[in-house]
Amino acid sequence: MEDIEDLLVGAGAAPAGFRLPITAAVGINPIKKKKNNKLEPLSLLQNSSTPQVPGTQTIFLKTFGCSHNQSDSEYMAGQLSSFGYAISDNAEGADLWLINTCTVKSPSQSAMDTLISKCKTAKKPLVVAGCVPQGSRDLKELEGVSIVGVQQIDRVVEVVEETLKGHEVRLLNRKTLPSLDLPKVRKNKFVEILPINVGCLGACTYCKTKHARGHLGSYTVDSLVGRVKSVVDDGVKEIWISSEDTGAYGRDIGVNLPILLNAIVAALPSNGSTMLRIGMTNPPYILEHLKEIAEILCHPCVYSFLHVPVQSGSDSILTAMNREYTVGEFRKVVDTLTELVPGMQIATDIICGFPGETDEDFTETVDLIKECKFSQVHISQFYPRPGTPAARMKKVASNIVKKRSRELTSVFESFTPYNGMEGKIERIWITDIATDEIHLVGHTKGYVQVLVIGPESLLGSSVTVKITSVGRWSVFGDVIEILNESHSVDKKTKSSPCFDQEQDTCACSEEKCGQDNCCGQDNCGPDGCNSDAKCGQNDKNVLGNESLLTRRKPSLSVGESEEIGNQKVDIRNVGYGDWDVVDMVLVGGIVMSLLTIAALVFYMGF
């Protein structure tokens, strides 16, 4: 089946809550079996009857791939939910399967193939979205399957409705970007994945994603800032900037990444309650903006973290990959950001066994990883993707590729990047529950994962913790302070101006007392803040030096209290001040009831 363009010339996306007429909005090919088993098209006006009213069915949604794919799935889930469809993780009980695919690696596509086969065996209606159908539309596995392209996610409701009627629908071509204001159901309600552009400017010889996402297409600064303001109002605490190459943003519309980031940072809450995480960027496109990027990464509302893929430590391999930078230029990115940004954390990617990689090339890669000691390295074996130049190159033997992958993984896992953190006081932002369902997950400003024990009411909050122990992949901490929403940060400073993590004391004695970036009026002396005062006591609700939450059961909820040590913590009142009138009336009623019971017991006994 050929790709079907929109039948209504100039038709854009339907606004939320409004459906375009099917005959004008979606190209469909209704099919009907004849007695001789051949298929013949029906008229567009002949729609088969459906057993259920559209919008009442359950949709199983499965996502593969990157954060951009995850954002696309959240947008599709939001639109389907807004029309009444239920989104489920239960494949067997669903009326239709929607699979959002990834084409980066062979294993992801193999998993997609397996899922499609299961769906066909179960005789479930199926819609496939994402990069695989967009980049490889003629795959045998996609025959007879409805398809939603990466720039057609705003049409998913129409495609689902027609597929449930037994029609095959394919929407792949579009010249405009989907709106950022579509309904969205976030996988994590505290995290907004914000796509700032689609496609890229590169032409890496191994990459299939370019075939799917295409050339660079950037959203405007105003539309992105508007989205940021909207999600902050929704209670989002982390905004992840996402794209195929963040650094290339805006080059097609006359702006650049620093312009966008500065505009977004200016729109974030001054209390530091919502943090910005900058997504993956390739070295060529940030080299000219290194100092500006470093300044933004120093901002209190921006995580001091960046994902910069190097892929190989050999210049000859980088040339074969057409990566458009040298190892020396990558080192310049790492060295500059590490020097200018306190606590900077950099993640990178490595491809083992790229065609033509010699033992000497691989040794250079190992040396680079040993030199930089990255806290995060994503190591993958080379997978030839159909239709890419690298797929036609002479391959390295698979046993050698696996051996190199194991060796590099062993080198990386020997690092202990968090050893110096034990005993430190850190501010973290808590946004998730760990897979063990016991710990809550937070991140430091350097995006180091911190696991703490506390009530689920801490989700979406910012706290200070004392790091008690460190592991290879994360650290553990005790919550000592819950920061109030009124706590503010100085957006003009490059890092927290007041708190000395090494000494756990106030470090702003030369600042004027009473300012937001000082220690508060109560701790002022003739020469400024008292050096032994706990920083920011006027801005934070201090629970004490020892964690009051470490041994609390995760099920402890708002309104409960628990004895810990010699103190009783009322979770309802943490950070919210003294009892109100209702609390006092209730307590008074309880006291009067107890006195009445005591009097009755005394009278009966007498």
Side-chain angles (χ1 to χ4, degrees):
M1 180 178 175
E2 298 297 326
D3 303 329
I4 298 176
E5 296 286 342
D6 293 349
L7 299 181
L8 180 62
V9 177
F18 176 75
R19 303 175 194 238
L20 293 173
I22 292 299
T23 56
V26 181
I28 59 177
N29 186 21
I31 54 179
K32 179 181 179 182
K33 277 196 175 184
K34 294 177 67 177
K35 291 182 180 180
N36 58 5
N37 291 327
K38 291 184 179 179
L39 301 179
E40 64 177 11
L42 296 173
S43 165
L44 289 177
L45 299 178
Q46 291 178 307
N47 290 327
S48 59
S49 60
T50 55
Q52 291 180 283
V53 176
T56 62
Q57 293 89 344
T58 299
I59 311 297
F60 165 65
L61 176 57
K62 175 67 176 179
T63 305
F64 294 95
C66 65
S67 60
H68 198 161
N69 262 24
Q70 182 62 51
S71 177
D72 286 350
S73 289
E74 292 176 353
Y75 273 124
M76 289 190 286
Q79 293 169 87
L80 290 165
S81 295
S82 70
F83 280 102
Y85 292 98
I87 308 301
S88 173
D89 292 329
N90 180 12
E92 287 72 20
D95 298 297
L96 176 142
W97 291 15
L98 172 57
I99 305 173
N100 194 4
T101 61
C102 173
T103 190
V104 172
K105 298 177 183 180
S106 297
S108 295
Q109 190 160 330
S110 296
M112 176 210 74
D113 295 342
T114 301
L115 204 55
I116 289 176
S117 178
K118 287 182 178 179
C119 186
K120 290 180 177 179
T121 300
K123 297 181 179 180
K124 300 277 189 179
L126 174 64
V127 177
V128 177
C131 293
V132 170
Q134 190 76 60
S136 305
R137 56 192 69 183
D138 297 325
L139 280 178
K140 182 180 179 180
E141 290 79 6
L142 298 177
E143 291 180 1
V145 173
S146 290
I147 288 173
V148 180
V150 293
Q151 291 188 37
Q152 297 279 19
I153 59 173
D154 54 353
R155 309 282 293 280
V156 67
V157 174
E158 303 160 68
V159 176
V160 164
E161 286 186 350
E162 292 305 311
T163 303
L164 284 168
K165 295 175 184 178
H167 303 151
E168 178 186 349
V169 183
R170 290 198 170 199
L171 291 177
L172 290 170
N173 296 327
R174 181 136 187 200
K175 295 180 180 179
T176 58
L177 300 176
S179 171
L180 293 170
D181 295 325
L182 295 168
K184 195 172 191 180
V185 175
R186 300 183 190 92
K187 186 176 181 180
N188 183 331
K189 69 178 183 178
F190 298 111
V191 177
E192 167 73 6
I193 303 172
L194 180 65
I196 62 173
N197 57 262
V198 299
C200 67
L201 295 175
C204 300
T205 56
Y206 57 84
C207 183
K208 186 74 174 176
T209 305
K210 180 67 176 280
H211 296 187
R213 294 284 183 178
H215 199 65
L216 181 68
S218 302
Y219 287 95
T220 65
V221 173
D222 288 344
S223 65
L224 292 165
V225 171
R227 180 66 181 175
V228 166
K229 292 178 179 179
S230 174
V231 301
V232 168
D233 290 341
D234 286 343
V236 162
K237 301 303 180 182
E238 280 188 8
I239 298 174
W240 298 358
I241 287 182
S242 178
S243 78
E244 284 63 60
D245 187 355
T246 300
Y249 169 80
R251 290 172 180 257
D252 57 323
I253 57 174
V255 293
N256 57 41
L257 183 61
I259 291 174
L260 172 65
L261 295 179
N262 281 311
I264 289 177
V265 165
L268 295 176
S270 61
N271 59 19
S273 59
T274 301
M275 294 293 287
L276 181 69
R277 192 187 83 173
I278 304 174
M280 186 275 290
T281 178
N282 288 312
Y285 304 113
I286 61 168
L287 277 167
E288 62 187 86
H289 302 303
L290 275 179
K291 290 187 177 180
E292 294 97 322
I293 296 295
E295 185 174 351
I296 293 165
L297 289 167
C298 287
H299 192 281
C301 296
V302 181
Y303 285 120
S304 305
F305 170 83
L306 201 60
H307 178 194
V308 188
V310 64
Q311 305 297 10
S312 176
S314 165
D315 281 337
S316 62
I317 295 301
L318 291 178
T319 300
M321 291 178 172
N322 196 29
R323 289 290 288 171
E324 300 179 339
Y325 59 86
T326 65
V327 176
E329 289 172 328
F330 174 78
R331 280 193 172 96
K332 180 180 179 181
V333 172
V334 173
D335 293 343
T336 302
L337 295 179
T338 302
E339 178 186 354
L340 297 180
V341 184
M344 182 70 197
Q345 298 283 330
I346 295 177
T348 196
D349 298 345
I350 296 292
I351 297 176
C352 288
F354 187 83
E357 183 184 66
T358 65
D359 289 339
E360 290 75 17
D361 295 325
F362 178 68
T363 298
E364 291 183 66
T365 298
V366 173
D367 291 343
L368 177 67
I369 299 301
K370 287 181 177 179
E371 173 191 337
C372 296
K373 288 185 170 59
F374 301 103
S375 58
Q376 297 182 38
V377 180
H378 308 123
I379 302 169
S380 64
Q381 301 173 31
F382 171 74
Y383 294 101
R385 306 303 295 131
T388 62
R392 300 188 296 270
M393 298 178 182
K394 186 177 180 180
K395 301 176 181 59
V396 178
S398 60
N399 62 320
I400 295 177
V401 176
K402 291 177 182 178
K403 178 177 178 294
R404 289 174 180 173
S405 177
R406 288 194 298 267
E407 181 181 340
L408 190 59
T409 300
S410 178
V411 169
F412 165 60
E413 290 182 350
S414 69
F415 302 155
T416 53
Y418 308 132
N419 269 4
M421 293 185 65
E422 189 168 350
K424 285 191 173 182
I425 306 296
E426 296 274 359
R427 179 179 183 178
I428 67 170
W429 290 260
I430 300 176
T431 57
D432 210 346
I433 300 175
T435 54
D436 64 5
E437 298 184 353
I438 297 175
H439 292 86
L440 302 180
V441 180
H443 291 90
T444 68
K445 190 177 186 302
Y447 212 67
V448 176
Q449 181 174 271
V450 182
L451 302 179
V452 300
I453 292 180
E456 290 186 18
S457 58
L458 286 179
L459 286 170
S461 65
S462 179
V463 304
T464 54
V465 299
K466 184 172 184 178
I467 306 302
T468 56
S469 62
V470 300
R472 176 59 187 84
W473 312 109
S474 56
V475 302
F476 296 83
D478 287 348
V479 176
I480 56 176
E481 298 172 356
I482 301 174
L483 304 185
N484 293 324
E485 289 294 316
S486 61
H487 179 78
S488 62
V489 294
D490 186 353
K491 289 192 175 186
K492 296 180 182 180
T493 60
K494 291 186 176 181
S495 59
S496 179
C498 197
F499 202 80
D500 187 332
Q501 294 181 344
E502 295 292 336
Q503 299 182 12
D504 191 14
T505 60
C506 190
C508 55
S509 58
E510 296 181 0
E511 300 285 348
K512 294 182 179 179
C513 285
Q515 294 182 346
D516 289 339
N517 60 347
C518 198
C519 297
Q521 294 282 4
D522 292 345
N523 298 321
C524 288
D527 299 321
C529 300
N530 295 329
S531 60
D532 59 348
K534 291 291 181 185
C535 182
Q537 286 188 348
N538 284 357
D539 298 324
K540 308 170 187 175
N541 183 60
V542 181
L543 299 182
N545 292 333
E546 298 300 325
S547 171
L548 302 181
L549 301 172
T550 302
R551 293 178 294 279
R552 183 176 295 122
K553 298 178 182 178
S555 59
L556 191 64
S557 59
V558 174
E560 296 183 43
S561 62
E562 184 173 5
E563 290 283 347
I564 302 179
N566 295 323
Q567 302 188 49
K568 186 173 183 179
V569 183
D570 188 344
I571 300 301
R572 175 187 57 208
N573 290 328
V574 172
Y576 295 97
D578 296 328
W579 289 3
D580 55 22
V581 175
V582 175
D583 290 325
M584 290 187 286
V585 169
L586 288 173
V587 173
I590 293 171
V591 171
M592 291 298 296
S593 299
L594 292 174
L595 290 175
T596 302
I597 293 171
L600 287 172
V601 170
F602 179 79
Y603 175 77
M604 294 288 290
F606 180 79

